[in-house]
Amino acid sequence: MACFLLLRAMKHTEVLAPVHGKSIMEVCIFFLYAMILLPGIAASVHQVKSFLNHTAYLSCYFPNSQKTDIKDLRVFWQKGAVEVVHEVYYGQEIHDNLSPKYINRTKMDMDKWTLQLLNAGIVDEGQYTCIIQHRDKGSPKVIHTSECLLHIIANYSQPEIAWLHTGELKPKEYLNLSCSSSGGYPEPKHMTWLVSHENKTDRLMGPMDVSQDAVTMLYNVTGRLNITVPTNTLTNISCLLHLGEQLGSLLSVPLGIEIPEEKMEQMKINFFGPLIAVIILITLLLGFVILKKNRNSSSTNQSVSLAV
């Protein structure tokens, strides 16, 4: 990587000129040899988090940095293998070799050895490498490398539960619910439904649909749940959206569901009322039939008596 950046800076006279009889290619080979074999140069990858459209801070701090004169250093920041993000050439910032999307978007804080990436977007996610070369008797020497893995995060909206059920709630019916959240990044992991009643909480999993906006690259998520409606008890239902290590989890406002006792009694009345009416009607009809039969019997007896 240092060799690549060195070749891109070949127009600078100090690099073009042979150094103590060494060619540019020899210097490149020396840089590669130093980066591979010298212990302690390569550092571990630093995990960096930045909110969308905020400034990301990428550190390149190294031991004894305060004792080093910036005018004796060349500092390169690059993303991946080819994109030059920032360059400080012996105390001066130069922009000739920068990738176009980073022009006017970076600043180097030399006191903290931190690169500021302004207005960080989702496309800026990835691994960044800092390479520091020291001018040692005129020949640049790699003295420090640092790597940062940038994660962009955007807050999701608080999950909201919506009813997909139409009509009046009835016992033993299925209740359809949805829970939605939008405008977040990265992609959520999963959604859990919390159903609480009578000092007991059940954790349920339901299907979750995830979509990504083609322009903003932000995610929208909707989960669904079908449960039977509890009766004669207050039940609170919430949805918990799990977003991973960057954002943690988001909990919705609980939805309270209860079918009151009087409603159950009304349902009993609605069921038994017509049944009682039918029984009364049948009883009246039977009484009418029996009464009519008795009258017919009485009339027949009277006719026989008169004939005699």
Side-chain angles (χ1 to χ4, degrees):
M1 291 180 289
C3 184
F4 166 79
L5 290 171
L6 177 63
L7 292 175
R8 293 201 62 170
M10 284 179 60
K11 60 176 173 291
H12 297 293
T13 56
E14 291 186 45
V15 178
L16 284 172
V19 181
H20 297 286
K22 293 182 179 180
S23 66
I24 293 296
M25 185 58 63
E26 288 175 326
V27 174
C28 273
I29 294 173
F30 172 78
F31 286 158
L32 293 175
Y33 177 84
M35 291 185 67
I36 295 172
L37 297 183
L38 287 182
I41 289 181
S44 59
V45 178
H46 302 286
Q47 304 293 325
V48 178
K49 302 174 185 177
S50 177
F51 281 99
L52 180 65
N53 298 327
H54 286 62
T55 300
Y57 297 90
L58 308 176
S59 175
C60 192
Y61 184 82
F62 62 100
N64 299 322
S65 61
Q66 301 301 325
K67 299 179 182 179
T68 307
D69 189 349
I70 187 63
K71 294 182 180 179
D72 292 328
L73 299 178
R74 299 178 62 194
V75 183
F76 300 96
W77 276 98
Q78 66 182 53
K79 181 184 180 185
V82 296
E83 290 185 298
V84 179
V85 179
H86 197 83
E87 183 176 356
V88 178
Y89 185 81
Y90 299 131
Q92 293 185 345
E93 294 182 318
I94 59 176
H95 308 285
D96 298 342
N97 300 320
L98 300 188
S99 176
K101 68 180 182 181
Y102 294 108
I103 295 177
N104 298 324
R105 291 185 58 214
T106 58
K107 292 192 299 183
M108 188 74 180
D109 185 343
M110 291 303 177
D111 293 329
K112 298 180 179 179
W113 295 92
T114 299
L115 179 69
Q116 300 178 18
L117 177 59
L118 309 179
N119 195 31
I122 294 175
V123 294
D124 294 320
E125 276 196 322
Q127 187 157 314
Y128 292 77
T129 303
C130 171
I131 304 171
I132 299 179
Q133 299 172 341
H134 183 266
R135 179 163 45 185
D136 184 15
K137 296 181 182 181
S139 176
K141 175 183 178 182
V142 177
I143 62 172
H144 179 71
T145 64
S146 178
E147 295 185 347
C148 295
L149 185 59
L150 177 60
H151 303 275
I152 300 299
I153 55 179
N155 285 326
Y156 282 80
S157 63
Q158 184 179 18
E160 294 185 359
I161 297 179
W163 293 71
L164 302 178
H165 184 83
T166 58
E168 188 178 11
L169 287 179
K170 297 179 181 180
K172 298 182 180 180
E173 271 194 340
Y174 275 91
L175 175 64
N176 297 322
L177 300 176
S178 70
C179 181
S180 300
S181 181
S182 61
Y185 191 91
E187 184 176 357
K189 300 300 182 181
H190 59 273
M191 181 180 291
T192 303
W193 292 85
L194 307 178
V195 181
S196 302
H197 57 89
E198 296 179 349
N199 298 323
K200 178 184 177 183
T201 299
D202 296 324
R203 291 178 171 265
L204 306 176
M205 301 291 293
M208 185 179 73
D209 298 326
V210 179
S211 62
Q212 186 177 25
D213 189 279
V215 178
T216 66
M217 300 181 70
L218 299 177
Y219 288 98
N220 302 317
V221 56
T222 299
R224 290 179 174 79
L225 179 70
N226 295 335
I227 60 171
T228 54
V229 180
T231 56
N232 295 329
T233 183
L234 176 62
T235 299
N236 290 315
I237 302 177
S238 305
C239 64
L240 185 63
L241 183 61
H242 302 271
L243 303 171
E245 295 181 359
Q246 282 78 23
L247 295 175
S249 301
L250 287 176
L251 183 65
S252 70
V253 175
L255 172 67
I257 300 176
E258 183 178 12
I259 299 180
E261 183 68 26
E262 56 269 18
K263 188 169 184 177
M264 296 295 297
E265 294 297 331
Q266 182 63 41
M267 293 181 64
K268 291 179 182 178
I269 293 174
N270 292 340
F271 177 76
F272 289 108
L275 180 61
I276 294 173
V278 170
I279 293 174
I280 293 174
L281 180 60
I282 293 174
T283 303
L284 291 175
L285 287 175
L286 288 175
F288 177 77
V289 170
I290 293 172
L291 180 61
K292 186 175 181 181
K293 184 176 180 180
N294 290 337
R295 286 182 177 177
N296 290 337
S297 249
S298 177
S299 299
T300 304
N301 292 334
Q302 289 179 1
S303 299
V304 171
S305 298
L306 290 174
V308 174

